[in-house]
Amino acid sequence: KRLTEKLTLQRAQLREKQAEPGTLAPTATRSANAILMTDAYGRIEWTNEGFTRLSGWSLDELRGKTLTSFLEWSASDMNAVEHMRAQILRGEGFQTETLAYARDGRPYWVAVDAQPIFVEGELAHFVAMGSDITERVVEQERQALQLAASRALGRAGRLDEVVAGVLGVIGSRMGYTLGDAWALDGDSARARLRMVASWERAAGLAGPFFSSCAGTSLGVGEGLPGRVWAEGGVVVGEDLGAESGDPRAHLAKEGGI
């Protein structure tokens, strides 16, 4: 509610200065929210400092480019982009929430409120205001994921069923395609990592990859699972097929994993 009230107030202030981008109210220029103005055709004319802080893009880099083309570079939800494009073509406002990516690749969630500005009855500009809602969305997703994982745990029986259920919850909610879980097969210094569960969004996506993993054991520090175990944190790899020392690499390469 507070976000809506704040955006409504700023939109009203902008409407008071309808004629040109250069006459925008000082409060809009200094606003912590990201604000931009386009012409009647959706071409970007002006952005404030809040927009640059959030997106990483400056006005000089975006001036003359269309709002929807910018969103095609930065937004992850193409359905939302198409909706915004259709509304602009109709000369109508829109409100949406979408996941976007800053110039440096940083993901952030933004609530967008865009409204047309008319001068003497003719569409002259669009003003779009964006508020960073990343913390709110992440917390909502964390709570939803925790609840879904708890339900999966309650339905499962054996360890592999429990882990597979949790993998499915995480993969589905986070938009992943494949997932697997590994655990040590003992407590001795010679213990090896073995796959205890796997998940794929649709049957057959992994091809023979998971069946090969079922018979594979990895030492601590060996392959991607071994590196995760050894480092005790997140390990990011762009191409599993290029993982040095991972015996599954050739199958991953064949499957494009």
Side-chain angles (χ1 to χ4, degrees):
K1 182 178 179 182
R2 291 177 61 188
L3 171 61
T4 302
E5 291 174 350
K6 183 185 294 184
L7 293 177
T8 301
L9 175 61
Q10 291 182 343
R11 189 171 69 202
Q13 292 171 333
L14 290 168
R15 285 182 182 275
E16 293 176 1
K17 304 290 184 180
Q18 288 185 337
E20 298 294 337
T23 66
L24 285 171
T27 52
T29 303
R30 297 192 300 267
S31 172
N33 288 323
I35 303 177
L36 64 80
M37 174 177 273
T38 76
D39 63 14
Y41 301 99
R43 295 182 295 240
I44 297 171
E45 297 179 314
W46 178 88
T47 63
N48 72 339
E49 295 175 0
F51 177 87
T52 300
R53 284 193 299 271
L54 182 61
S55 71
W57 294 93
S58 69
L59 174 59
D60 288 341
E61 294 170 308
L62 296 180
R63 185 184 282 111
K65 294 180 171 61
T66 64
L67 173 58
T68 51
S69 68
F70 165 70
L71 290 169
E72 285 173 355
W73 307 331
S74 62
S76 64
D77 186 349
M78 288 300 104
N79 289 330
V81 173
E82 288 302 319
H83 171 67
M84 289 183 267
R85 177 184 286 113
Q87 292 298 98
I88 289 173
L89 289 175
R90 286 195 290 263
E92 299 175 359
F94 56 85
Q95 294 178 325
T96 190
E97 295 181 358
T98 187
L99 175 64
Y101 293 90
R103 185 178 181 183
D104 61 3
R106 170 181 52 84
Y108 63 94
W109 279 90
V110 60
V112 180
D113 183 350
Q115 299 298 329
I117 292 179
F118 294 89
V119 176
E120 297 181 354
E122 295 292 329
L123 178 63
H125 307 284
F126 274 90
V127 172
M129 289 173 282
S131 179
D132 187 349
I133 58 171
T134 304
E135 289 187 6
R136 189 198 82 193
V137 173
V138 168
E139 177 59 20
Q140 288 174 340
E141 282 296 305
R142 186 195 67 78
Q143 292 178 6
L145 185 58
Q146 186 177 46
L147 177 61
S150 296
R151 289 174 174 169
L153 289 172
R155 290 193 300 267
R158 302 191 313 270
L159 175 62
D160 59 338
E161 294 175 341
V162 171
V163 178
V166 173
L167 279 176
V169 168
I170 294 173
S172 298
R173 295 200 66 88
M174 301 301 291
Y176 296 145
T177 303
L178 307 172
D180 55 10
W182 295 67
L184 289 177
D185 59 7
D187 298 325
S188 71
R190 296 193 302 272
R192 307 274 294 175
L193 285 167
R194 299 184 185 277
M195 191 180 75
V196 294
S198 64
W199 170 86
E200 49 190 331
R201 181 172 293 276
L205 283 177
F209 180 73
F210 283 146
S211 59
S212 72
C213 291
T216 300
S217 68
L218 301 172
V220 175
E222 183 182 3
L224 188 59
R227 285 173 53 203
V228 172
W229 193 278
E231 298 180 21
V234 176
V235 176
V236 178
E238 293 185 1
D239 185 358
L240 184 57
E243 278 292 318
S244 176
D246 195 321
R248 310 167 302 158
H250 69 286
L251 285 171
K253 186 174 183 179
E254 291 175 5
I257 299 172

